[in-house]
Amino acid sequence: MNEKNYTTQMDAARKGILTEQMKAVAASEHYTPEQIMHYVAEGKVVICSNKKHASLKAAGVGSMLRTKINANIGISRDCRDYDLEMEKVMSAVKLGADAIMDLSSHGNTRPFRQKLIESCPVMIGTVPVYDAVIHFQKDLKELTAKDFIDVVRLHAEDGVDFVTLHCGITRKTLEQIKGNQRKMNIVSRGGSLVFAWMSMTGEENPFYEYFDDILEICEKHDVTVSLGDACRPGCLADATDVCQIEELVRLGELTKRAWSHNVQVMVEGPGHVPLNQIAANMEVQKTLCMGAPFYVLGPLVTDIAPGYDHITAAIGGAVAAANGASFLCYVTPAEHLALPDIDDVRQGIIASRIAAHAADIAKGIPHAREIDDRMADARRNLDWDKQFEYALDAETAKKIRDSRLPEDDHSDTCSMCGKFCAVRSMNKAIKGELIDIL
């Protein structure tokens, strides 16, 4: 059917129209197109697909689908090489990122954003509040509510597939943050900017006050709203507190309003959360936000691992996704320390993919474990080429093996065990062959 018969993927689904994007998601996720259409109509699956993003290969986000991975990139005042950022983007996509978020906070951002949309085959997300200061060249206090809304419109017109909007904090939140004495206050960059703007101007959060105007923009361009968690905990001490949960309640209310406009919604979540609280956080979100896909940063399960936070996030991400999170925002070794370089991006993607895949197996996502079974066969057969083929990061695996190869007379094994290799011994024993060790 002609796209003029519907506005968004959700609108199409509710009208019983099977879009090409729904068909593509169904094929990649081992569901029927009708099943995907049903989930999109309910809001339990989103297909972030701006009408202007022609290079996009459609993907679905939902707890019953393969867990998706997002990579954050973008320049800052101190690191402003757009070519390097594009190199990071292409590396992330090659390694399996399902989405790229451009978090640029300096320079001429629009040409870079447009180049991303023109050339990148995965979902593109942005945080318009960052760009408002840059686009209008005004300091934060000088910006108006209209300025913020106009930047959302600009990003939608450029072809961005989803926008993170910190709609859930209000003037009431100002008093909560000041009164509850959080250790880390607000650690969300976008949330802190909105908080600061409200504090300086005395006005209500424009993303909350003019939410319906934003929904009209998103409906026109089929932009998914990612409801930002301004009050996500930035340390374990702040996890699952009043500020976080009350904001989540409000995000659930905003989810209903967006759905009434046929606008797709993701809900963003914590943050730093102790391991024993992650499952409960997922259940609360699913209840309050009626099954809308949950997009989590980590969660990071400890505060004391700078340089290794890709690991703390992977631990939390695996538990979160196994309990219903749909979308993991990668965390790199540079988290809390610096803008990530290409190697940081690589490590962040791989750590997140491990977490996502482990969760998909635990959830019983269709066909998720097949590649693990193929890897087991390859290892039993000591077929190294096949092992590299099935590896999440074949380049690193091959590099490690090639740097420490075993001797020629037991080259089918590795330099860890040599002829003591259990797999080699068992293969020979089962065949009735001599097991030579010396």
Side-chain angles (χ1 to χ4, degrees), residues 77 283 332:
R77 181 178 292 276
E283 289 301 321
T332 78

Side-chain angles (χ1 to χ4, degrees), residues 147-215:
D147 291 335
F148 289 119
I149 307 310
D150 284 345
V151 170
V152 175
R153 182 179 293 104
L154 179 68
H155 285 214
E157 290 172 350
D158 282 345
V160 165
D161 301 299
F162 65 98
V163 288
T164 291
L165 303 173
H166 298 86
C167 308
I169 58 171
T170 64
R171 291 199 55 78
K172 181 181 177 183
T173 311
L174 301 183
E175 302 311 314
Q176 280 186 328
I177 292 293
K178 292 173 183 176
N180 282 320
Q181 297 182 326
R182 276 184 147 196
K183 278 188 178 294
M184 289 294 295
N185 296 314
I186 287 179
V187 300
S188 159
R189 185 163 68 176
S192 71
L193 292 173
V194 174
F195 187 98
W197 186 87
M198 287 193 291
S199 297
M200 290 187 292
T201 64
E203 295 186 34
E204 182 56 275
N205 177 358
F207 298 107
Y208 179 76
E209 186 172 6
Y210 298 100
F211 190 60
D212 288 329
D213 294 337
I214 291 170
L215 292 178

Side-chain angles (χ1 to χ4, degrees), residues 73 76 103 141 208 264 294 329 369:
I73 57 90
S76 68
L103 306 187
K141 185 180 179 181
Y208 179 76
Q264 301 181 101
F294 206 16
C329 185
R369 211 193 69 188

Side-chain angles (χ1 to χ4, degrees), residues 236 270-274 297-303 309 312-313 316 331 335-336:
L236 299 187
H272 292 237
V273 181
L297 178 65
L300 283 72
V301 295
T302 180
D303 298 336
D309 276 328
T312 67
V331 173
E335 186 78 9
H336 302 111

Side-chain angles (χ1 to χ4, degrees), residues 10-48:
M10 175 175 268
D11 184 40
R14 288 174 168 177
K15 290 176 176 175
I17 300 170
L18 269 176
T19 66
E20 293 304 314
Q21 291 86 352
M22 292 177 204
K23 294 175 186 176
V25 170
S28 66
E29 300 282 355
H30 305 284
Y31 282 92
T32 67
E34 289 74 19
Q35 286 174 311
I36 294 298
M37 182 171 66
H38 174 74
Y39 288 133
V40 172
E42 287 188 319
K44 293 180 179 177
V45 165
V46 301
I47 303 176
C48 306

Side-chain angles (χ1 to χ4, degrees), residues 230-277:
C231 294
R232 69 172 178 263
C235 62
L236 299 187
D238 294 339
T240 325
D241 69 354
V242 171
C243 294
Q244 179 196 336
I245 298 303
E246 182 166 296
E247 181 185 26
L248 189 58
V249 171
R250 196 169 293 113
L251 297 185
E253 296 168 356
L254 294 171
T255 297
K256 289 181 182 178
R257 285 172 60 184
W259 285 350
S260 72
H261 284 257
N262 293 313
V263 172
Q264 301 181 101
V265 175
M266 297 186 288
V267 178
E268 297 187 12
H272 292 237
V273 181
L275 198 58
N276 61 307
Q277 294 182 24

